Each structure stands twice: as structure tokens, then as C-alpha cells.
Amino acid sequence: MSIPRQIWPESFERLYVANGHWQGETFGRMLDRLEADFGERLALVAGEARWSYAELARRARVAAEGFAGLGLAPGERVLVQLPNRAEFLVAVFGLFYAGLVPVYALPAHRETEVLHLAAKSGARAYVIADRHDGFDYLPLARKVLAEVPGVAHVIVAGAAAEFTAFDGLGDQGLTAPVPRNPREVAFLQISGGSTGLPKLIPRTHDDYLYSVRASAEICGLNAESVYLCALPAAHNFPMSSPGYLGVLHVGGTVVMSPNPQPEVAFRLIAEHGVTITGLVPPLALLWMQAAPRSKHDLSSLQVLGVGGAKFIPEAAARVRPTLGCTLQQVFGMAEGLVNYTRLDDPEDIIINTQGRPISPDDEVLVLDDDGNPVPEGEPGNLYTRGPYTIRGYHEEPSANARSFTPDGFYRTGDVVRRLPGGYLEVRGRAGDHINRAGEKISAEEVEDHLIAHEGVFDAAVVALPDKFLGEKTCAFVVRAEGEVQSKDLKAFVRDRGIAEFKVPDQIVFVPAFETTAVGKVSRKALRAALKDTYLNKGDAA
Ligand code: AMP
Ligand code: DBH
């Protein structure tokens, strides 16, 4: 069974082909090309692994044979939840080679998210590591097998217990990639989203590989480039902006960092001569704080990409003086559109803007709340469509009706100013999610968890500014009977099996939520009113 095709109108498809964006390569064929072009060059450094392109390709083909041997058929989905280790690249290229469709979960995801992603994608298998960051994934895998009917296999990197060992998959390897149509969905990426649980983002071979090739060029990559994958590899940013795919595309080397902390990352930069990496703003701040005191030589680093959340100009201005490299601001979204400041842009643009779109065929509209264009320099809502921006989420009719216009523009929910030259400055956002250090958290999702507690009558979750994280979560809670405390609620939410970054940072108990004369106000209005009453007046608990 395959998933529905992403539909661009035919005239757009023709344009994207004619303009050379969609080139008809699949991820499976890409692996063969990389091996042919860069065979003995170093592709991957991860833990003890030092693998050439030929070795990476060989292992991916063996894994592909293993996946096929389990009975997984082309077009079927496989949920992948792996940390930054060598198996990540082997698994995803192995899946592509076997014609399978990876679905990317973050290592931080727990039961609630994983069960949802597995069920929603119709996953047939689940690939995990045995442990990461102190968490044992095997009990979670047992739950997925028991509760999601379609999932028939669990494949484990590390100690596999009763499951299939990743290292035992396959033997000789497939000799050629299982043919796929490059216009078909290659993988499902996830969206942080502003409502409910994460949504699935269908990306095609053609659209995604265009963004990879173009990003590699914009970021000045070549075969000497060494990319440090410091953010979780499943995130769109380290995947393709320009990410490990951009670096592999040109024959460079990917270095996997098990985590993005300076003490780990700096050693890897010095040891492997890392030239480029990508970070979210809080990590960039942490690196700038740590660099002057570090004993490691960071002089190989040429470019630091920063994105995922707004990087304030004061911090942006400090990148070159403290880290000795060029800052590249990256404003992207897993749904598609990615903006970069260019490496040779004037300092003023690099510090004060979030860049401009990758493609001449990216269409960008900045509209007021009534849908009319705003003049250049004025803030408005950002809408976009283009050769690598989706036309709809996977099986989400009501979200699609909200998030896409009838003529196919994606409503990003971001408020931006368009500046001369098409540069964008992110000013804020219209939607109700919290951007906590680059992780997007749906207010609604956290509210639903809080309201499930018997001591909670109602809850509303808002973003609070935070000097380090950018934003943190604050939950306003109206108690039901009893005296439930913050720590009880945090423990309760955590125990429901959600990613730790979604547990509210702060909980403020309030006697009641205001309702208007008409009755219940919208959640959006309620959140705004609560912020106004309790936070903007400086009396937050
Ligand atoms: P997602 O749709 O979950 O992939 O998250 C993408 C969202 O992250 C964007 O729509 C923005 O709200 C936010 N974002 C990404 N990069 C930046 C940036 N450089 N500055 C401000 N916001 C950003
Ligand atoms: O936040 C994001 O989703 C993001 C940030 C930078 C992204 O998807 C990207 C670059 O490609």
C-alpha cells in the first residue's frame, strides 16, 4: 500500500521540471550516484565508525535487503526513532533503497507521540536504538507492537532483546534500488504544529532533493566540507539546511555528534576539522559562552547556521567575534520554504534578517488579516508556495482547510516583514504554539494533557519570553476539587508519556477563566486575555 501522492497542479509540475528544480532522482538512486562519484572518500564519522561512501552504500544495501526480507513492501512506512549515531544514515538510506518510506520521530518523543505517529502513518515497522539519554526504548517498542495493529516488526540498534537486531539485517545486499517514482512521497517529516498532535508532512524525492542541492550551493559546500550534525538528525534543519544530505550530495563528510553540548561538539570540531554546522539560538548562545574558555581549536569552523527560532540581532552580532566564523541565519520549516542569509551578504543583512528564499520559484505573500498585501517593510502574515513546499499534510482534511489557501499557499502562521531584496525578518507568529528553543509545542496538546488530571477544571497554555530558550511554556490552570500542586501536574503530564520539552515550565493557578457574555471565548482569545491579565502586568506567580 502506498500513500497518496502530493498533488501540485500540472502546470506547476511542468514549470518546476522546466526550470531544472525537479530532476527525477530518487533517494535510492542518489545513494548509487554518491558511491560512484565519491567511493573512497570519507562519508561518515560516528562514534568509532569511519565509513567511506562505498562502505555507507554497502551497509545501506545490506539493510535494504534486510528490510525487504522482513516482508516490508515498497511504499510502506517505517517509523524511525534513532539518535545521532551511524545507524541513522544506514537505516534511512537502507529504507530508501528498499523503496520504503521513513517516518521521522525525534528521540525525545515518548509513548503519546510515537503511538500517534505509528498509527497515523500506517507504519509497518519501528526502528529504534536500545537506549539513549538514559531512556530505554524497548518497553516503548513493546507498547507500539501491542497497540498499533499495523506494526509487525521492531528493529533495534544495540541490544535487541526479543526483537530484530539492526546489525543482523540482510546479507549480500540489494544490487539496485527498488524503483520509485521521483514524484512520489519519499518520507514523512513531522511538524511541531500549533494544534493537537504532530502532523505528518509528505515530502517527495523530487521536491526535497531540489532543496538539498540548492542548499548545498547556497551554503558554499564542496567535497572538503565537514558538517557536524549536532541537532537531532530527524529534524529538518540538520537534514537538509544544508544538513547531512547537503554535505553528502557534494562528497563531504558528516560527523555525528551524540548531543549538541559544547564539551562534546567542540572536541569533534577540533578532531575532524568541522567546517559547518547548524544550531538553534539557545545552543548558539551556549557555544558563544563556552568558546573563549575552551581548550579546543575551533578555527576550522567557517559557517554557523542558526535557525529554528528567532536569533536576536545582539546575539547574531557576536558570532563572528566569538566563534570566528560566518553566521548564516536560516528560517525554515519542515513543510518546505527555507530562507538563508547568503554567505557574502553585508553584515547588516546577516545580523538583522532571517534571509531570503532558496528558489526564484518560491512564491512569498505577506498579507494583512483580511488577506490584502501589506507594503514592503510592514509586518504581515507569511504565505508561501513553491517547488519544495507541500500542498497539504498527510490525511488531515480539517488542518489542511485551515493551513492552505484554495490556490495552494501554505499559511505559515509566521508574522514577517519583507525587506528590499526579498529578505524576511521574522516578527512573531499568529498561531498558538510555543517555540521553545526551536521545538514547536502545540498549546492545545499540552492543555489536553493537563485537563486529563482530575484536579484540573480547565487549562490554557501560553508562551512566556525566556532569555535563554526564547520562549518557555506557561500553563494557567483552574483547579477542580482539591489542591493539586505544580509538581503533581508536571509529574502527571510527564507520566502520560510525552516528550520532556512539552512539560510546562511554569504553572500559574487562577481562580477562573473569564468568559464573555456570549458564553465560552475562543481558546486563542482566552490565552491572550490570560497573558494580559497575569503576565503583562508583571505579577506572574
Ligand atoms: P515546523 O513547521 O515545525 O518545521 O517549524 C517551522 C517554524 O519554526 C517556522 O514556521 C517558524 O515559526 C519557526 N522558525 C524556523 N526558523 C526560524 C528563524 N530563523 N527565526 C524565527 N522563527 C523560525
Ligand atoms: O524550525 C524548522 O523547522 C527549521 C529551521 C531551519 C527547518 O525546518 C529548516 C531550517 O529546514
Side-chain angles (χ1 to χ4, degrees):
M1 185 186 67
S2 281
I3 50 185
R5 268 186 68 179
Q6 255 304 277
I7 302 297
W8 279 266
E10 223 185 293
S11 59
F12 285 83
E13 296 201 344
R14 274 201 303 274
L15 177 80
Y16 299 154
V17 171
N19 288 350
H21 306 328
W22 292 5
Q23 296 188 351
E25 186 175 59
T26 60
F27 278 92
R29 293 223 295 265
M30 177 188 184
L31 186 69
D32 284 355
R33 171 174 63 82
L34 297 184
E35 188 195 18
D37 289 354
F38 310 121
E40 292 314 310
R41 293 192 64 87
L42 183 61
L44 177 67
V45 173
E48 299 302 305
R50 304 279 181 281
W51 294 344
S52 66
Y53 279 83
E55 181 64 14
L56 176 61
R58 188 188 67 75
R59 287 175 184 260
R61 291 190 189 109
V62 168
E65 184 201 332
F67 289 128
L70 293 174
L72 300 171
E76 291 189 326
R77 273 77 58 209
V78 175
L79 185 61
V80 178
Q81 188 181 28
L82 288 171
N84 292 5
R85 49 191 276 176
E87 290 91 342
F88 187 99
L89 283 181
V90 181
V92 302
F93 274 106
L95 292 170
F96 289 136
Y97 214 75
L100 294 159
V101 176
V103 184
Y104 294 111
L106 296 171
H109 283 149
R110 295 294 177 259
E111 187 182 324
T112 304
E113 293 99 352
V114 169
L115 290 173
H116 169 73
L117 294 170
K120 185 88 197 178
S121 66
R124 298 266 293 121
Y126 178 36
V127 184
I128 52 172
D130 52 355
R131 301 183 67 78
H132 175 67
D133 252 357
F135 183 74
D136 180 357
Y137 288 83
L138 295 178
L140 176 54
R142 291 183 189 112
K143 200 144 205 163
V144 171
L145 264 185
E147 293 187 19
V148 186
V151 177
H153 305 278
V154 173
I155 299 122
V156 186
E162 73 269 34
F163 301 122
T164 305
F166 189 84
D167 284 343
L169 279 181
D171 180 19
Q172 296 297 307
L174 296 189
T175 51
V178 171
R180 300 299 292 168
N181 181 339
R183 302 275 174 86
E184 271 171 357
V185 174
F187 61 86
L188 293 168
Q189 183 57 284
I190 59 163
S191 114
S194 51
T195 53
L197 285 159
K199 292 187 282 296
L200 293 166
I201 298 174
R203 300 293 302 257
T204 67
H205 300 268
D206 260 345
D207 92 73
Y208 205 72
L209 287 176
Y210 168 46
S211 76
V212 168
R213 286 192 310 272
S215 293
E217 193 178 328
I218 289 169
C219 302
L221 301 182
N222 57 47
E224 307 307 317
S225 300
V226 181
Y227 180 84
L228 185 76
C229 184
L231 295 172
H235 262 291
N236 203 55
F237 181 15
M239 191 174 294
S240 62
S241 301
Y244 47 86
L245 290 176
V247 174
L248 293 175
H249 169 69
V250 296
T253 300
V254 175
V255 178
M256 285 287 186
S257 189
N259 73 58
Q261 297 306 315
E263 50 283 17
V264 177
F266 287 4
R267 185 177 54 76
L268 291 171
I269 292 174
E271 219 170 277
H272 303 290
V274 167
T275 61
I276 177 167
T277 188
L279 295 176
V280 291
L283 287 168
L285 295 177
L286 199 63
W287 282 33
M288 289 197 283
Q289 208 174 58
R293 282 175 281 123
S294 170
K295 60 180 192 301
H296 297 293
D297 177 7
L298 304 180
S299 62
S300 60
L301 197 61
Q302 296 165 7
V303 177
L304 175 66
V306 178
K310 172 86 179 226
F311 198 34
I312 57 167
E314 295 70 27
R318 285 170 37 223
V319 168
R320 187 184 292 285
T322 42
L323 296 170
C325 61
T326 302
L327 167 66
Q328 180 168 52
Q329 296 220 36
V330 192
F331 164 39
M333 49 208 77
E335 287 82 354
L337 181 72
V338 179
N339 304 273
Y340 294 100
T341 56
R342 303 313 199 249
L343 299 179
D344 58 358
D345 275 340
E347 202 69 6
D348 169 52
I349 295 274
I350 291 180
I351 289 172
N352 292 300
T353 82
Q354 278 63 57
R356 64 181 163 87
I358 287 180
S359 176
D361 288 318
D362 280 323
E363 297 174 75
V364 163
L365 301 175
V366 184
L367 306 178
D368 66 19
D369 289 344
D370 299 324
N372 303 310
V374 302
E376 191 172 89
E378 296 294 317
N381 303 304
L382 173 66
Y383 290 68
T384 188
R385 86 187 164 184
Y388 59 96
T389 294
I390 58 165
R391 294 291 186 130
Y393 293 106
H394 174 64
E395 289 182 358
E396 297 281 355
S398 58
N400 286 341
R402 276 194 311 273
S403 299
F404 295 84
T405 67
D407 49 2
F409 279 88
Y410 170 52
R411 288 180 221 269
T412 66
D414 295 314
V415 176
V416 304
R417 266 185 348 126
R418 185 160 36 184
L419 304 168
Y423 286 84
L424 300 177
E425 183 205 355
V426 181
R427 296 298 296 258
R429 121 196 111 240
D432 272 0
H433 67 253
I434 296 97
N435 187 333
R436 186 181 189 278
E439 298 290 3
K440 286 64 178 192
I441 301 165
S442 146
E444 187 181 300
E445 182 185 354
V446 179
E447 287 164 0
D448 288 348
H449 286 295
L450 288 165
I451 291 165
H453 191 286
E454 59 179 15
V456 173
F457 176 71
D458 205 351
V461 171
V462 301
L464 281 191
D466 181 85
K467 254 177 92 172
F468 182 64
L469 297 168
E471 291 180 355
K472 58 183 183 177
T473 47
C474 172
F476 291 98
V477 170
V478 180
R479 287 192 178 98
E481 295 288 292
E483 282 299 310
V484 68
Q485 301 298 313
S486 292
K487 67 171 184 352
D488 308 326
L489 282 182
K490 289 185 187 181
F492 173 78
V493 169
R494 194 173 282 123
D495 282 352
R496 285 176 58 90
I498 62 172
E500 180 68 27
F501 62 77
K502 294 180 186 171
V503 175
D505 294 295
Q506 192 176 344
I507 294 177
V508 178
F509 292 98
V510 298
F513 290 159
E514 295 283 329
T515 47
T516 62
V518 212
K520 220 166 142 55
V521 293
S522 80
R523 301 304 292 181
K524 196 172 160 62
L526 172 64
R527 292 180 193 119
L530 282 164
K531 265 182 101 152
D532 201 47
T533 310
Y534 291 96
L535 302 176
N536 298 343
K537 301 196 172 71
D539 54 356

